[in-house]
Amino acid sequence: MTMVKKMIGALAIFSASTYSSPSNCLLEKMTPMESNVISFFHPFNSCNEVRAETGELVGLKIIKEKSVITASYGNHEDFHPDSLSITNSIDRASTRDLFWNLFSDNNAINKFVEIQRERLKGTKVKGILIKKDTVAFYEIGAKSAPEPHSITYFFDPEMPDRYFSLGFTNIDEAKIMSLALKME
């Protein structure tokens, strides 16, 4: 099953109303990073997850009062191949390299980064946090995004394309920074 099919399945479940749904988050099957996110927002109204056939977590959605927290895994399959290409070169950028370049002041490595930097101009705060092998790219107060706040974690140097992305709606900005700083 490709990542795109997994994400479509996750979005279908996420789009359903979960206020009256029972929680189905299997904490005992979660990695430290996943359970860290869950416990940070506990107690919550509901927590619903989507898992691949192999049992790996694909995504989850937590609702706490009026706040909505979504989380999903992604990799290079989530990006158009042109976004991973470096301008004037046949070398390909990893997804992690794309984020590094997007959040830096260096020249944009390709058109994708140029376009995304325009989107980021309306963001209140953006930055990078590093702890051991985990890198977190955060943006708070994005005006042209479906979720105004996000944190994208890259946590495995051996797999530079794999990331864990969190989106936040109706959440206090200080709480998001607190979660980012608490990363494993």
Side-chain angles (χ1 to χ4, degrees), residues 5-24:
K5 287 180 185 174
K6 289 182 202 173
M7 290 307 298
I8 290 171
L11 290 173
I13 289 177
F14 289 164
S15 64
S17 174
T18 56
Y19 277 104
S20 59
S21 302
S23 293
N24 75 343

Side-chain angles (χ1 to χ4, degrees), residues 14-178:
F14 289 164
S15 64
S17 174
T18 56
Y19 277 104
S20 59
S21 302
S23 293
N24 75 343
C25 289
L26 304 173
L27 299 176
E28 66 279 1
K29 289 188 172 185
M30 292 190 177
T31 66
M33 182 178 284
E34 295 159 1
S35 59
N36 201 9
V37 170
I38 296 283
S39 63
F40 194 81
F41 294 102
H42 199 270
F44 41 76
N45 298 65
S46 68
C47 177
N48 291 281
E49 67 177 30
V50 177
R51 290 193 178 270
E53 292 171 4
T54 58
E56 280 185 309
L57 185 70
V58 174
L60 59 89
K61 179 178 182 180
I62 300 169
I63 294 181
K64 180 174 182 164
E65 298 165 3
K66 293 182 180 179
S67 301
V68 179
I69 301 96
T70 58
S72 61
Y73 281 96
N75 61 26
H76 65 280
E77 292 177 1
D78 300 331
F79 292 87
H80 189 279
D82 289 347
S83 68
L84 297 166
S85 299
I86 296 175
T87 307
N88 300 323
S89 172
I90 57 169
D91 293 336
R92 290 174 55 85
S94 69
T95 312
R96 188 174 178 149
D97 289 340
L98 272 180
F99 273 80
W100 274 114
N101 190 241
L102 175 61
F103 280 74
S104 78
D105 292 328
N106 297 335
N107 291 334
I109 59 174
N110 58 32
K111 191 73 173 166
F112 172 80
V113 170
E114 284 178 29
I115 292 166
Q116 292 303 311
R117 281 186 179 170
E118 285 300 313
R119 179 187 66 77
L120 280 177
K121 282 183 181 176
T123 301
K124 270 191 199 174
V125 180
K126 67 174 183 162
I128 303 168
L129 294 168
I130 302 168
K131 186 174 179 183
K132 295 182 186 169
D133 288 332
T134 303
V135 181
F137 298 89
Y138 62 89
E139 49 182 307
I140 297 175
K143 292 188 175 130
S144 58
E147 296 160 317
H149 318 299
S150 68
I151 306 172
T152 302
Y153 293 102
F154 287 84
F155 50 88
D156 188 347
E158 302 296 316
M159 298 174 66
D161 281 322
R162 186 165 163 78
Y163 62 88
F164 186 55
S165 182
L166 298 171
F168 307 93
T169 305
N170 296 327
I171 303 252
D172 181 69
E173 294 172 5
K175 186 134 179 127
I176 294 162
M177 280 311 299
S178 196

